[in-house]
Amino acid sequence: MAIKVGVVGYGTIGKRVADAVAMQKDMKLIGVTAHSYSFNTEVAKAKGYKIFTIDGDGDLKLNGIIPDGDINNLLEEAEVIVDATPKKIGKENIAKYYKPNKIKAAVQGGEKHEVTGTSFVAQCNYDEALGKDYVRIVSCNTTGLCRTLHAVNEKYGISSVHATMIRRGADPGDIHHGPINAIVPVLEMPSHHGPDVQTVLHNVEIFTTALSVPSTLMHLHTLTVDLKKKANVEDVVELFRNSTRIRVVRNAEHLRSTAEIMEFARDIGRLRGDMPEICVWKEAIGITANTHNKLLYMQAIHQESDVIPENIDAIRAMTGFKDGQKSIEMTNESFGIK
Ligand code: NAD
């Protein structure tokens, strides 16, 4: 029987999750919520998704969209909700809607770890989410850090990590945020990303710093990792090549920047031009020549899409699908991830 899924919050993340759910053979999308009328609701309607209102019909009917019900109707039909509302609203929605209706919910990285007590990146800790009522899919940056660091930790053991996140100022469709002409450091040490990684990779010592730049195309991370075992560059390249949801990109392909990676994603026909894999530059992987135990690398994170496969795997884990590896394979196949 297909897992019945509802999506609450139909923005950057929610609309991608809805499409991904609709693509899964073992899931059924019950519908999505609409706060107010926009091109998003028009597109959802055109795709045949049911639309459920929150806090009244707003301007939907005025614009010719007849809702299929309200959030209570969605909650009656769905077994699991993916909540992709702006930060802090997921926490409120658990208390207001999901707990009273005894319905499972996956919330996003804008919520704090304590909201669910379980933070999730499928290839790192799928089993921790098994059967849970509430799970938090960590942020795009934390997902990117966890994917590559988990692979490195499994093979070499990590003594400590220092990572700097160079973050896009806004999503491409976001007209409210910036900067448009500045580099803005996060003035707290460490940035919140390090402690957030530890909610998934519990024993990895990590210190992070972060800044925002005028770009909408991906985040870029630089990492310095002290290893417990010696390593060489070729083996690390192979490690990343063989790890799921990580893509090794090369200067030789002219994939030298976040812009070219996004163009590549469009050219290979990815839905919305998304790149859910974490892209590590082959030529930017280095090992210290004298000690062979300090690894440096750079990676790019497509903030709008890397967490989408994680939401799909979390739905399976929460509803009791025990084989995490199999879930990852099923999800990857639907996304065209090799
Ligand atoms: P968004 O602003 O693009 O979309 C949020 C949607 O929720 C909007 O459609 C809005 O109308 C709707 N909404 C607002 N209040 C609501 C309510 N009370 N009930 C139902 N719907 C409501 O936001 P987003 O970028 O998709 O972020 C959603 C979550 O995902 C946040 O926790 C964020 O931190 C996390 N996240 C975002 C990104 C990213 O780069 N955009 C990446 C990873 C995780």
Side-chain angles (χ1 to χ4, degrees):
M1 267 247 292
I3 308 165
K4 295 180 203 154
V5 184
V7 174
V8 171
Y10 192 70
T12 304
I13 300 300
K15 62 187 174 184
R16 286 173 167 80
V17 171
D19 290 345
V21 167
M23 287 189 308
Q24 306 306 310
K25 292 183 185 130
D26 59 338
M27 295 183 194
K28 181 177 179 208
L29 180 70
I30 300 300
V32 304
T33 57
H35 225 207
S36 58
Y37 178 77
S38 73
F39 68 89
N40 276 327
T41 37
E42 281 293 358
V43 174
K45 200 75 192 161
K47 288 184 176 185
Y49 299 165
K50 283 190 183 170
I51 294 175
F52 297 90
T53 57
I54 294 186
D55 301 333
D57 293 346
D59 53 356
L60 287 174
K61 281 187 186 155
L62 267 179
N63 287 285
I65 301 267
I66 308 299
D68 296 278
D70 66 14
I71 185 161
N72 294 309
N73 302 116
L74 176 63
L75 296 175
E76 274 161 23
E77 274 196 71
E79 287 165 68
V80 188
I81 293 292
V82 173
D83 187 300
T85 55
K87 68 178 172 189
K88 297 187 181 158
I89 296 178
K91 179 184 175 188
E92 288 170 20
N93 284 347
I94 288 180
K96 190 169 166 189
Y97 295 120
Y98 314 140
K99 251 196 186 141
N101 286 285
K102 297 195 172 45
I103 191 157
K104 291 175 184 272
V107 298
Q108 309 303 310
E111 307 305 321
K112 291 198 181 331
H113 171 73
E114 294 68 34
V115 168
T116 64
T118 306
S119 292
F120 183 80
V121 176
Q123 67 210 71
C124 306
N125 68 340
Y126 183 95
D127 289 352
E128 278 185 42
L130 268 180
K132 291 274 166 69
D133 287 339
Y134 308 110
V135 168
R136 166 181 170 262
I137 315 311
V138 293
S139 75
C140 47
N141 279 302
T142 304
T143 299
L145 290 169
C146 287
R147 282 198 194 145
T148 52
L149 288 172
H150 176 68
V152 171
N153 196 31
E154 292 281 291
K155 176 147 186 181
Y156 299 105
I158 291 176
S159 301
S160 69
V161 181
H162 173 242
T164 296
M165 261 63 57
I166 301 164
R167 303 187 299 177
R168 58 87 180 102
D171 287 341
D174 177 356
I175 60 170
H176 298 294
H177 295 100
I180 60 168
N181 189 22
I183 298 171
V184 185
V186 170
L187 297 176
E188 64 178 20
M189 287 286 166
S191 71
H192 71 272
H193 307 90
D196 206 36
V197 165
Q198 291 167 330
T199 65
V200 176
L201 302 179
H202 306 297
N203 300 317
V204 167
E205 192 189 314
I206 175 166
F207 191 92
T208 51
T209 49
L211 47 111
S212 300
V213 296
S215 173
T216 62
L217 304 178
M218 311 185 88
H219 306 297
L220 192 151
H221 297 170
T222 68
L223 295 98
T224 307
V225 187
D226 287 307
L227 305 172
K228 290 182 179 160
K229 290 185 200 155
K230 291 186 177 183
N232 65 63
V233 169
E234 291 73 30
D235 288 349
V236 175
V237 172
E238 277 315 293
L239 173 69
F240 287 147
R241 280 212 173 108
N242 294 324
S243 300
T244 190
R245 298 179 182 169
I246 299 174
R247 178 187 282 267
V248 175
V249 296
R250 295 178 303 134
N251 184 14
E253 302 167 283
H254 287 215
L255 292 174
R256 300 156 300 198
S257 67
T258 56
E260 288 153 314
I261 292 172
M262 288 284 83
E263 184 70 2
F264 173 60
R266 287 194 285 264
D267 286 350
I268 58 175
R270 289 285 176 79
L271 187 60
R272 292 192 177 84
D274 284 348
M275 177 58 80
E277 302 99 313
I278 306 308
C279 295
V280 184
W281 276 283
K282 178 171 184 273
E283 294 81 1
I285 298 174
I287 299 279
T288 43
N290 48 351
T291 59
H292 303 281
N293 65 358
K294 198 183 277 288
L295 164 67
L296 300 98
Y297 62 99
M298 290 189 210
Q299 61 185 22
I301 282 59
H302 185 217
Q303 76 280 358
E304 298 169 281
S305 70
D306 70 330
V307 299
I308 310 304
E310 309 299 337
N311 274 276
I312 298 300
D313 293 323
I315 292 167
R316 288 205 188 89
M318 293 166 74
T319 51
F321 187 89
K322 292 204 173 62
D323 189 340
Q325 192 53 43
K326 179 76 186 153
S327 174
I328 289 172
E329 281 166 22
M330 287 157 72
T331 308
N332 283 359
E333 197 190 333
S334 70
F335 278 78
I337 298 174
K338 297 233 167 65

